[in-house]
Amino acid sequence: MAADRTQKRLRRRVYFAAFFAMVWSVGIVWRLVDLQVKKRDELLSKALRQNQRVIEIDAKRGTILDRNGHELAITREVESCYGVPGKIEEPARAAAAIASALADPSLRSDLLDRFQSRKDFVWVARKLPAEAVEKIRNLDLEGIGFIAESKRFDPKEELASHLLGYVGMDNSGLAGVEYQYDRELRGMPGKVVVEIDARQREFSYSTLVPTQPGSNIILTIDEVIQYIAEHELRAAVERHHARGGSITVMNPRSGEILAMANWPTYDPNELQGSREDQRRNRAIQDCYEPGSTFKIIVAAASLAEKTARIDEKFDCQLGAIEIAGHRIRDHKPFGVLSMDEIIEYSSNVGSIKLGLRLGNQRLYSYMRAFGFGRPTGIDLPGESSGILREPKDWSLISIGALCMGQEVSVTPLQVLSATSAVANGGFAVRPRLVRQIVAAGGQGWSTPTTLPPVRIIDSTVARDLGDILTDVVERGTGIAARMDGFSTAGKTGTAQKADSKTGRYAPGKHVSSFVGFTPVENPALAMIVVIDEPEGAYYGGLIAAPVYKICAERILRYMNVFPERRQSVRPQVTYASLSRGEQAAYAAEGGGGEVDDFRPSRREPSDEEPTVESAQLSREPDGPFHEAPPTQPGPAFPDLHGKTLREVAHVLGPMGVSFDASGSGYVIDQSPRPGAPIGKRCRLVLSLQRDR
């Protein structure tokens, strides 16, 4: 009996133990299923987070090169520092140590916030210089590691910085070509896996997704021409204590930009230390009233529409004309001038008469055809369209103001593009900066789409206008741009700047410019020089034209363009080198009405504008300024003493002789003297007074 009870008790214990073992086994199996199946992904992810880090890596950005393959923007491999907050034992000490190593105490609080966050990964500092990496690595901090990244670097520093632009910390382009072609340059980012040991030290890297490098971009610019433009621009700005300036050089036939220089400038490698005005591309973003350079458009329209002939005489009414009850004065009391002389000597009254013959609508249509009032379409971001109002918004006096280059706002590139149409025989071409896009590894290339040239004026008109602009440089306001061995066609411009507060022209603030192309018959380049707010003399012929000459001479030598004609030695034209009378004559030709504080609806030019009281100046190809003698015997100047201007015009008109006059009443003096032979392009200067 006792044995049976013992047996039953043992059996119950065995059953209980078996049941407990079975339940335990089921629990274990259930737990294993839960961990291995149900929670597999979650736990695997947690394990990987503890032992691995997946980091996105920027692709190597494509290289930007000049037209000859010289590197302008490249990518270097640098190290970035990161942290794993959960593994940083003393966040406050780590933040203070790193801030001290980077010599930036202000980082301490920011780093502390990052280290105390619940994130699995935080950046400490990205794309560090080698010295900084070494200092942080020597701290031997747990939870702090390094990974390789790419950083943009411009080896030529400031050279072409406004064209190239710059990139942000995330490898995205933010300005210039870097922004415009960001998709092509940046490539495709990749991912790497960093494995970490128990002490949070990296011991291996593996690529999860490989990066795809960006394409290389070949620009149209030439780094040597770019350097010449930047060097001469800086020298001119510093010489004249100007606020800034720009020089753009272009192939007038293809539209390729050979150089685009701006001052002030900046170094993309030191972006944080630059100002907004240093980063601004003035050549495409700064708008200004063009002044007399706009007379190119008036002349082109007049020739194209046959409303005037080159040799046609216009009475410039001794420098005054009345439009809609407003009296507009010229910068000098010109008498009778031919059309080409109107442009050569920059007569406002003559230009207005040309514009009046055209009428509002025809003049406006040519302004639009030459590209004003809209962007040129260059492949750069942020281009301004300028301002050109439609004729319905013009006042009665607007046509007069526009013919002098007022009431219109332009960019330097717009003026250069318009002048290039004259240089290339009458075609509008779109400026472009990128020549080729080459895939990584050289596997294929493409050329950006360009619009075909559009004819806007006849080739004959372009040739005649080129001859007129050549005279501007040979004898007119642009004589300081004249070069030994090369013919140049161009136009000076001098304009006052508006005061944004008063809405009137600001006294003492001017924009001096010169635009032209060289050589005239087969142009190798077209160029515009713009100097903003020079101190002292401010006429375009004295400030910008000499810069054009220096740049063009250096560029043509570099391009191996052979001289067209015999070279000679001539003194350089500077304001200080001229006599007082010559300064007055130069001022009248180069500035005058161009720089009037003229507001059509409010005031007339000041009576203190320069006038010419001495003989008109001319210049032979190989000599200094002097009174122009004839080269061969011929008709002689008549004696005009005691005659009125009406009588003078009656006598000289049939002879085809142009004249300038100062004063009013009767002729008391003339130059050249009576009996002097009449030479080619020789002008007569008269002095008048009321009493005989």
Side-chain angles (χ1 to χ4, degrees):
M1 193 71 151
D4 291 339
R5 285 196 300 274
T6 301
Q7 188 69 27
K8 288 180 180 179
R9 194 163 43 248
L10 288 173
R11 192 178 294 116
R12 284 196 300 271
R13 288 178 179 176
V14 170
Y15 289 157
F16 179 78
F19 177 76
F20 179 80
M22 184 180 66
V23 171
W24 183 82
S25 298
V26 170
I28 291 295
V29 171
W30 179 261
R31 181 59 176 165
L32 288 173
V33 170
D34 181 56
L35 294 176
Q36 297 276 346
V37 179
K38 290 186 176 182
K39 295 183 178 180
R40 178 183 179 278
D41 293 340
E42 177 186 347
L43 295 175
L44 180 61
S45 176
K46 187 174 182 180
L48 290 175
R49 285 200 304 270
Q50 290 177 343
N51 297 284
Q52 294 180 344
R53 300 288 180 266
V54 178
I55 302 174
E56 185 173 276
I57 298 298
D58 292 330
K60 182 179 180 181
R61 198 168 175 86
T63 300
I64 302 177
L65 309 100
D66 83 336
R67 66 189 300 118
N68 298 314
H70 301 130
E71 293 178 341
L72 299 175
I74 61 176
T75 298
R76 284 181 171 178
E77 189 174 275
V78 295
E79 289 191 278
S80 293
C81 180
Y82 68 88
V84 183
K87 302 300 180 181
I88 300 176
E89 296 180 354
E90 300 179 62
R93 186 179 73 84
I98 293 174
S100 176
L102 295 177
D104 189 356
S106 63
L107 279 176
R108 185 177 180 277
S109 60
D110 184 38
L111 289 175
L112 182 58
D113 291 340
R114 296 185 203 177
F115 294 163
Q116 291 177 336
S117 69
R118 294 173 176 264
K119 296 180 179 180
D120 295 322
F121 176 93
V122 295
W123 285 114
V124 175
R126 298 183 66 185
K127 303 180 181 181
L128 293 165
E131 317 84 71
V133 171
E134 190 64 24
K135 288 180 180 179
I136 297 175
R137 185 170 273 130
N138 290 338
L139 296 174
D140 196 23
L141 298 171
E142 290 193 10
I144 301 298
F146 296 88
I147 192 168
E149 283 197 290
S150 61
K151 181 179 181 180
R152 203 57 162 171
F153 178 70
D154 290 13
K156 307 296 170 56
E157 299 177 342
E158 297 177 349
L159 189 75
S161 58
H162 298 91
L163 297 178
L164 300 175
Y166 47 88
V167 300
M169 192 61 71
D170 62 350
N171 214 32
S172 296
L174 300 178
V177 173
E178 298 278 18
Y179 176 86
Q180 187 76 14
Y181 290 90
D182 184 63
R183 184 169 59 88
E184 292 83 358
L185 284 166
R186 71 183 307 171
M188 297 295 292
K191 293 182 179 180
V192 298
V193 177
V194 183
E195 296 191 25
I196 305 171
D197 64 13
R199 298 190 62 185
Q200 296 300 303
R201 293 175 300 188
E202 305 94 340
F203 63 85
S204 72
Y205 291 85
S206 60
T207 300
L208 190 62
V209 178
T211 61
Q212 297 181 20
S215 300
N216 297 332
I217 288 185
I218 301 175
L219 302 182
T220 61
I221 71 167
D222 186 305
E223 71 167 9
V224 175
I225 298 177
Q226 180 71 27
Y227 171 80
I228 292 171
E230 291 189 11
H231 179 269
E232 297 304 333
L233 175 63
R234 178 175 183 173
V237 169
E238 292 179 347
R239 182 166 60 250
H240 298 291
H241 308 286
R243 182 181 180 184
S246 69
I247 294 177
T248 305
V249 186
M250 175 176 168
N251 182 324
R253 299 187 185 279
S254 66
E256 291 186 343
I257 301 297
L258 302 178
M260 185 177 284
N262 292 272
W263 186 266
T265 188
Y266 73 102
D267 182 354
N269 302 316
E270 304 293 338
L271 187 62
Q272 292 183 341
S274 64
R275 306 186 308 272
E276 187 279 331
D277 69 301
Q278 293 176 309
R279 299 191 297 270
R280 188 172 73 250
N281 189 340
R282 294 169 177 262
I284 65 171
Q285 293 179 321
D286 278 12
C287 292
Y288 66 102
E289 287 188 339
S292 285
T293 54
F294 212 62
K295 291 172 184 173
I296 295 174
I297 312 303
V298 179
S302 298
L303 292 173
E305 291 296 313
K306 296 181 172 58
T307 57
R309 302 186 313 275
I310 291 182
D311 59 352
E312 185 177 353
K313 303 294 182 179
F314 289 81
D315 182 5
C316 294
Q317 304 175 190
L318 293 181
I321 189 172
E322 192 168 295
I323 301 179
H326 296 270
R327 188 175 179 80
I328 302 176
R329 296 183 183 174
D330 217 333
H331 52 71
K332 183 179 177 182
F334 290 113
V336 176
L337 295 178
S338 60
M339 178 191 169
D340 57 339
E341 290 171 330
I342 287 173
I343 305 303
E344 181 179 334
Y345 296 110
S346 203
S347 168
N348 291 330
V349 173
S351 181
I352 291 171
K353 286 197 169 188
L354 293 174
L356 290 172
R357 283 194 180 183
L358 285 163
N360 293 5
Q361 192 57 51
R362 280 195 292 188
L363 179 60
Y364 173 77
S365 66
Y366 277 91
M367 292 175 181
R368 291 288 296 180
F370 274 94
F372 296 102
R374 62 173 181 265
T376 65
I378 188 174
D379 41 351
L380 280 175
E383 183 185 13
S384 173
S385 61
I387 300 173
L388 177 62
R389 296 175 299 154
E390 295 183 13
K392 64 183 179 64
D393 298 320
W394 293 6
S395 68
L396 294 176
I397 202 171
S398 291
I399 191 168
L402 286 164
C403 291
M404 298 188 298
Q406 297 179 345
E407 287 195 22
V408 59
S409 178
V410 303
T411 65
L413 185 59
Q414 285 177 327
V415 178
L416 180 61
S417 297
T419 306
S420 293
V422 180
N424 65 31
F427 291 95
V429 293
R430 173 177 287 186
R432 61 191 182 98
L433 191 60
V434 171
R435 216 176 186 196
Q436 277 185 355
I437 301 174
V438 183
Q443 300 175 351
W445 58 273
S446 62
T447 302
T449 304
T450 57
L451 296 177
V454 178
R455 179 170 289 283
I456 54 177
I457 55 175
D458 187 80
S459 60
T460 303
V461 173
R463 184 169 58 252
D464 289 343
L465 189 53
D467 291 340
I468 293 174
L469 297 179
T470 302
D471 288 344
V472 171
V473 176
E474 291 293 320
R475 307 174 183 84
T477 60
I479 197 168
R482 187 178 175 192
M483 286 177 279
D484 285 322
F486 296 102
S487 59
T488 296
K491 186 73 185 76
T492 57
T494 313
Q496 282 190 286
K497 296 181 67 175
D499 189 322
S500 58
K501 295 181 180 179
T502 65
R504 299 179 64 84
Y505 289 121
K509 293 185 177 181
H510 305 87
V511 177
S512 306
S513 63
F514 183 88
V515 63
F517 52 92
T518 306
V520 175
E521 292 301 321
N522 186 24
L525 61 88
M527 176 168 41
I528 185 170
V529 179
V530 179
I531 306 297
D532 186 16
E533 294 186 23
E535 292 184 4
Y538 48 78
Y539 312 116
L542 288 172
I543 303 300
V547 181
Y548 179 99
K549 173 187 175 181
I550 297 171
C551 282
E553 286 178 335
R554 294 183 63 183
I555 293 170
L556 292 171
R557 282 199 301 269
Y558 166 72
M559 295 174 70
N560 292 321
V561 178
F562 293 101
E564 305 170 288
R565 60 191 183 193
R566 176 176 58 88
Q567 296 193 12
S568 61
V569 179
R570 296 193 306 271
Q572 182 179 0
V573 179
T574 63
Y575 194 69
S577 69
L578 304 179
S579 69
R580 187 168 182 176
E582 289 170 338
Q583 288 178 357
Y586 212 112
E589 292 179 1
E594 297 174 13
V595 298
D596 278 350
D597 188 8
F598 168 66
R599 292 184 58 83
S601 60
R602 296 189 183 181
R603 67 179 291 273
E604 294 182 354
S606 167
D607 292 334
E608 297 180 359
E609 293 167 1
T611 59
V612 178
E613 298 179 355
S614 60
Q616 174 69 24
L617 303 176
S618 65
R619 193 176 188 181
E620 289 183 341
D622 304 325
F625 283 100
H626 63 93
E627 185 174 307
T631 55
Q632 293 180 353
F637 283 106
D639 187 352
L640 300 173
H641 285 80
K643 295 186 182 296
T644 64
L645 283 177
R646 185 181 300 276
E647 293 171 335
V648 168
H650 181 74
V651 173
L652 297 181
M655 301 174 66
V657 176
S658 300
F659 68 93
D660 300 321
S662 61
S664 61
Y666 304 93
V667 176
I668 61 169
D669 191 20
Q670 70 179 76
S671 178
R673 299 296 180 188
I678 300 176
K680 183 181 178 182
R681 291 284 184 173
C682 199
R683 299 172 59 82
L684 186 64
V685 178
L686 305 175
S687 297
L688 294 85
Q689 68 178 28
R690 294 193 179 277
D691 299 327
R692 290 180 184 268

